[in-house]
Amino acid sequence: MTKKTLPTYNNLEEKSKLFRIEYINTEKEFDVFFDTHTISNGIYRGINSSQYKIYTSLQRSIITNDLQSVNYNDYIEKVIQHKKLKKYFENFKIPLSKLSILSYIQHYGGPSPLLDFTYNIKNALYFAVENLPVKHEEKNNIKNI
């Protein structure tokens, strides 16, 4: 089976129809951005390329593996009924709920309908630059912004 690639934004104009884009060109502009967002109550997600669309790991798995016939709700119910997971939560006296099980699965890299986000701009910036190459060749390419 050939894996499909995830859809991405082709350019910033396409993305700007859905998101407010802030351009930062200087260190001073970054300092203003950082200071403003450090004291604000925003919700952030650290992504290391502007071209990426936001998908949960379950959505990415369905798209890339061409699993369009998979019933999302059936999958979640099967995961929740998994006996070994139930036993794990019982052993650690963690209340069993959809959220606790799906959080566990997401944490260990399984396909989950949950999406990571943070209220802390520092955490989002860490994930945005975690594996970022040091130097970009093409300045105006969406992949490099």
Side-chain angles (χ1 to χ4, degrees):
M1 172 177 10
T2 306
K3 283 200 172 235
K4 290 186 171 186
T5 58
L6 290 171
T8 58
Y9 295 107
N10 295 309
N11 53 54
L12 289 174
E13 183 180 332
E14 177 186 348
K15 187 170 186 168
S16 69
K17 293 175 183 172
L18 302 168
F19 295 93
R20 179 178 52 117
I21 296 176
E22 294 183 47
Y23 293 95
I24 300 170
N25 296 307
T26 66
E27 188 175 335
K28 184 173 177 136
E29 289 175 353
F30 174 80
D31 290 342
V32 170
F33 166 86
F34 183 77
D35 291 344
T36 301
H37 289 276
T38 300
I39 59 173
S40 72
N41 292 321
I43 296 175
Y44 305 98
R45 176 146 171 84
I47 298 176
N48 65 9
S49 176
S50 295
Q51 75 179 27
Y52 296 137
K53 294 185 176 186
I54 299 175
Y55 295 105
T56 67
S57 58
L58 180 56
Q59 289 171 317
R60 287 192 306 269
S61 182
I62 289 170
I63 293 168
T64 59
N65 295 303
D66 199 22
L67 302 174
Q68 301 306 317
S69 62
V70 171
N71 184 308
Y72 197 77
N73 291 324
D74 289 347
Y75 164 77
I76 293 170
E77 284 304 318
K78 282 182 185 176
V79 168
I80 290 167
Q81 298 305 320
H82 196 281
K83 290 179 182 175
K84 287 184 180 180
L85 278 178
K86 284 184 174 183
K87 186 100 172 138
Y88 171 86
F89 283 95
E90 287 171 11
N91 286 341
F92 288 101
K93 298 181 178 21
I94 299 170
L96 191 62
S97 69
K98 285 183 180 183
L99 182 59
S100 62
I101 291 174
L102 292 172
S103 296
Y104 174 88
I105 290 167
Q106 181 179 17
H107 181 74
Y108 287 102
S112 160
L114 304 179
L115 185 66
D116 288 327
F117 66 89
T118 181
Y119 295 111
N120 186 321
I121 189 68
K122 293 175 189 176
N123 292 345
L125 288 171
Y126 169 80
F127 286 104
V129 300
E130 177 184 25
N131 295 313
L132 200 62
V134 176
K135 186 176 180 182
H136 293 297
E137 299 299 323
E138 302 173 54
K139 196 170 188 173
N140 292 325
N141 186 334
I142 190 169
K143 295 177 184 179
N144 297 333
I145 297 175

